Amino acid sequence: MIPKPHTHRNAVPYRPLDWTGIYPPVFTGPVPTHVALVMDGNGRWANRQGLTRIEGHKAGEAALLDVVAGAIQAGVKHLSVYAFSTENWKRSPEEVRFLMGYNREILRRRRDQLNEWGVRIRWAGRRPRLWASVINELHYAEKLTAGNSTLTLTVCVNYGGRNEIVDAVRAIAEEVASGRLRPAAVNEKLLQKHLYVSEMPDVDLFVRSSGEQRTSNFLLWQSAYAEMVFLDTLWPDFTRVSLWRAIELYTSRTRRFGGAQDAPEQA
């Protein structure tokens, strides 16, 4: 069943848009297997309307559900979203407390809906500093949805790309120091095995909302050959159509992965 907008009694309602009969376009090439998404612009969206940053974060919940639905419709198999970075601890204590509680509550509210859609939920991130209640909700959602295969949604909470690589290298170094591993055996495949979600495929399409053009330390290892698309839309205004626009841009590009073909133009 095509996911339709859904409103939970405790959730921010969906924007009043009629999605009946809305389907993705016919793409000109294969859709990306793995889309990474930086959900940026909540604060600016709220401030422009005379609201607090916290109200902007609340409004972003509807956008996330719409984008998950659009990813399923388009045939995307992996969607990774940046929910809370290791750098976000620098924000005000009030905003950090809200984001911790809000991540927990979104998981609690939406896990059954996502499970019905066939979404498998995974968590990528560090345990230190992360609220135990958030970790519990993440683990519960992972267990509940473990058998699903329509789409894998990786929620990156207390995540940083550099930290992920450092943690992987530290684990490998401990194995070498203990004699369980020879230094000559260290390669890309081994490092991949020690990442937070070792089976996560490389990112094909990296999307950021709000017009900012940077990766912000998100999935650095996995995005080595990702196609980058930066859209001006602020996250609460982002929809499944925005995702499809990014996919259209992706399918129009030629991915060479370091290779090249000689194609002289005719005079």
Side-chain angles (χ1 to χ4, degrees), residues 171-228:
I172 292 171
E174 290 173 353
E175 292 185 32
V176 171
S178 69
R180 300 193 306 272
L181 182 69
R182 294 179 298 105
V186 178
N187 54 28
E188 288 188 17
K189 186 175 181 180
L190 182 68
L191 198 147
Q192 172 83 23
K193 183 180 177 181
H194 286 80
L195 297 178
Y196 296 147
V197 181
S198 60
E199 67 271 27
M200 178 188 287
D202 284 348
V203 174
D204 300 301
L205 172 60
F206 188 109
V207 181
R208 183 176 187 135
S209 61
S210 87
E212 299 292 344
Q213 300 186 20
R214 56 180 177 272
T215 64
S216 291
N217 198 24
F218 187 45
L219 296 179
L220 298 181
W221 177 272
Q222 299 87 342
S223 299
Y225 274 100
E227 296 295 323
M228 303 288 180

Side-chain angles (χ1 to χ4, degrees):
M1 179 181 295
I2 297 173
K4 300 288 178 62
H6 170 84
T7 302
H8 187 283
R9 62 186 178 86
N10 293 325
V12 176
Y14 273 84
R15 291 171 293 278
L17 297 176
D18 180 10
W19 289 111
T20 305
I22 299 295
Y23 299 96
V26 177
F27 298 113
T28 58
V31 301
T33 297
H34 184 187
V35 176
L37 189 54
V38 178
M39 305 176 290
D40 191 26
N42 290 334
R44 274 169 285 168
W45 179 89
N47 291 165
R48 288 177 184 179
Q49 302 186 56
L51 302 172
T52 65
R53 293 177 56 83
I54 286 175
E55 293 303 315
H57 292 308
K58 290 180 180 178
E61 179 180 348
L64 175 58
L65 267 290
D66 246 351
V67 167
V68 171
I72 294 171
Q73 286 181 276
V76 173
K77 300 304 292 183
H78 293 264
L79 178 66
S80 298
V81 297
Y82 213 2
F84 188 90
S85 77
T86 49
E87 288 77 26
N88 286 157
W89 294 105
K90 301 173 184 176
R91 297 187 178 184
S92 71
E94 294 77 18
E95 186 171 359
V96 168
R97 281 195 298 270
F98 171 80
L99 289 171
M100 284 291 103
Y102 198 55
N103 278 309
R104 179 188 60 208
E105 294 307 313
I106 287 178
L107 285 163
R108 190 174 294 167
R109 280 199 300 269
R110 300 299 189 178
R111 65 193 178 204
D112 290 335
Q113 179 184 357
L114 292 170
N115 189 39
E116 290 174 4
W117 290 359
V119 174
R120 183 187 184 193
I121 299 172
R122 299 300 308 274
W123 167 44
R126 274 182 163 179
R127 280 179 170 271
R129 299 188 72 180
L130 189 56
W131 288 10
S133 59
V134 176
I135 294 174
N136 290 339
E137 290 296 334
L138 286 163
H139 285 333
Y140 184 90
E142 285 185 316
K143 184 176 179 180
L144 174 70
T145 64
N148 295 338
S149 59
T150 301
L151 172 76
T152 296
L153 174 65
T154 303
V155 184
C156 300
V157 185
N158 199 25
Y159 175 88
R162 287 182 173 180
N163 287 328
E164 179 176 32
I165 295 169
V166 167
D167 289 345
V169 171
R170 182 181 294 116
I172 292 171
E174 290 173 353
E175 292 185 32
V176 171
S178 69
R180 300 193 306 272
L181 182 69
R182 294 179 298 105
V186 178
N187 54 28
E188 288 188 17
K189 186 175 181 180
L190 182 68
L191 198 147
Q192 172 83 23
K193 183 180 177 181
H194 286 80
L195 297 178
Y196 296 147
V197 181
S198 60
E199 67 271 27
M200 178 188 287
D202 284 348
V203 174
D204 300 301
L205 172 60
F206 188 109
V207 181
R208 183 176 187 135
S209 61
S210 87
E212 299 292 344
Q213 300 186 20
R214 56 180 177 272
T215 64
S216 291
N217 198 24
F218 187 45
L219 296 179
L220 298 181
W221 177 272
Q222 299 87 342
S223 299
Y225 274 100
E227 296 295 323
M228 303 288 180
V229 172
F230 303 102
L231 300 178
D232 290 335
T233 308
L234 298 176
W235 178 246
D237 292 327
F238 213 88
T239 68
R240 62 184 80 183
V241 174
S242 307
L243 173 67
W244 297 340
R245 179 187 170 203
I247 293 175
E248 283 188 297
L249 291 170
Y250 168 87
T251 60
S252 70
R253 299 179 183 177
T254 301
R255 307 186 75 201
R256 300 186 181 89
F257 299 98
Q261 290 183 339
D262 202 15
E265 295 184 4
Q266 298 298 321

